[in-house]
Amino acid sequence: MKKLKVDEKNIYLDKQSGKDFNRPQYKKMCRRFKEGDLLYIKSIDRLGRNYEEIQEQWRYLTKDKKIDIVVLDMPLLDTRRGKDLLGTFLADIVLQVLSFVAENERTNIKIRQKEGIAAAKARGVKFGQAPKPLPANFHEVYQKWKAGKYTVTEAAKACEMPRSTFYYKARVYEKATF
């Protein structure tokens, strides 16, 4: 975008997946469009990865918002050129093919991700944050709580954890010690 001398305030970047168009920066960009504006997109899969939604958004941007779109890695997708019937037809075909490829790639990514997770789990890899160790005073506080000397609120406060965490840790502790 910098090579094209696009002003930094006009560059929008979403860090979310392109699975749909419910992205804050994309929505903000669309609100700012005026008729005759020009949208540069690095590649069609940067616009989105859902075949039907890409088609729908393309029509929305070019027909409703009346802006031009240039897909940088696919020169055939430049709405400034070929506004005649043949040019529009060719651009529509290319858009459909690339939209299909983008969605297909998203599907493949999800499959590879599931396979990777399954393989990691088979190797014994644990996902998520490692559990925090019990506080040094947990055994003492737990005994007082079990004996009725502490309420759960007092016990949780003494261990510096939420009540729900204290309950959970107490159940795990009981299974481990009995």
Side-chain angles (χ1 to χ4, degrees):
M1 296 301 153
K2 290 179 182 177
K3 285 180 186 175
L4 295 168
K5 297 187 178 16
V6 174
D7 190 342
E8 189 118 355
K9 70 177 172 73
N10 292 325
I11 297 176
Y12 295 86
L13 176 68
D14 275 309
K15 296 186 189 230
Q16 293 173 274
S17 165
K19 69 179 180 175
D20 61 36
F21 289 87
N22 192 21
R23 305 184 310 258
Q25 289 295 305
Y26 180 78
K27 287 180 172 184
K28 182 178 178 183
M29 177 185 71
C30 285
R31 283 192 303 270
R32 293 190 63 199
F33 281 134
K34 297 181 299 296
E35 185 174 333
D37 281 349
L38 175 61
L39 170 63
Y40 286 108
I41 302 170
K42 183 178 185 292
S43 64
I44 200 69
D45 65 341
R46 298 296 86 208
L47 179 62
R49 290 191 181 260
N50 178 301
Y51 177 82
E52 290 196 14
E53 286 187 9
I54 292 172
Q55 305 287 319
E56 183 180 312
Q57 286 300 309
W58 189 274
R59 278 185 218 91
Y60 166 71
L61 294 170
T62 59
K63 306 288 187 244
D64 296 350
K65 288 288 194 173
K66 295 183 169 111
I67 68 163
D68 279 311
I69 302 174
V70 175
V71 179
L72 297 172
D73 70 351
M74 183 52 59
L76 285 173
L77 288 177
D78 182 344
T79 61
R80 297 172 302 176
R81 289 190 238 139
K83 293 203 180 216
D84 61 347
L85 187 58
L86 180 60
T88 302
F89 173 71
L90 288 174
D92 284 349
I93 288 174
V94 171
L95 176 64
Q96 287 185 19
V97 169
L98 293 178
S99 299
F100 169 80
V101 169
E103 182 169 337
N104 196 47
E105 178 59 18
R106 175 168 161 65
T107 301
N108 289 337
I109 288 169
K110 289 172 78 175
I111 290 169
R112 288 191 299 267
Q113 181 183 31
K114 280 183 184 177
E115 289 169 350
I117 290 169
K121 284 183 178 179
R123 290 190 315 270
V125 173
K126 300 285 185 204
F127 290 88
Q129 190 174 14
K132 291 181 182 176
L134 291 175
N137 66 342
F138 186 82
H139 177 74
E140 177 188 335
V141 171
Y142 172 81
Q143 295 299 329
K144 289 181 179 179
W145 173 67
K146 273 308 230 190
K149 294 178 182 171
Y150 276 0
T151 66
V152 72
T153 302
E154 292 167 330
K157 189 173 184 178
C159 291
E160 297 180 356
M161 60 179 64
R163 287 172 34 143
S164 59
T165 303
F166 181 81
Y167 271 128
Y168 172 75
K169 297 283 187 183
R171 282 195 309 274
V172 171
Y173 183 76
E174 286 170 359
K175 287 180 185 174
T177 57
F178 298 110

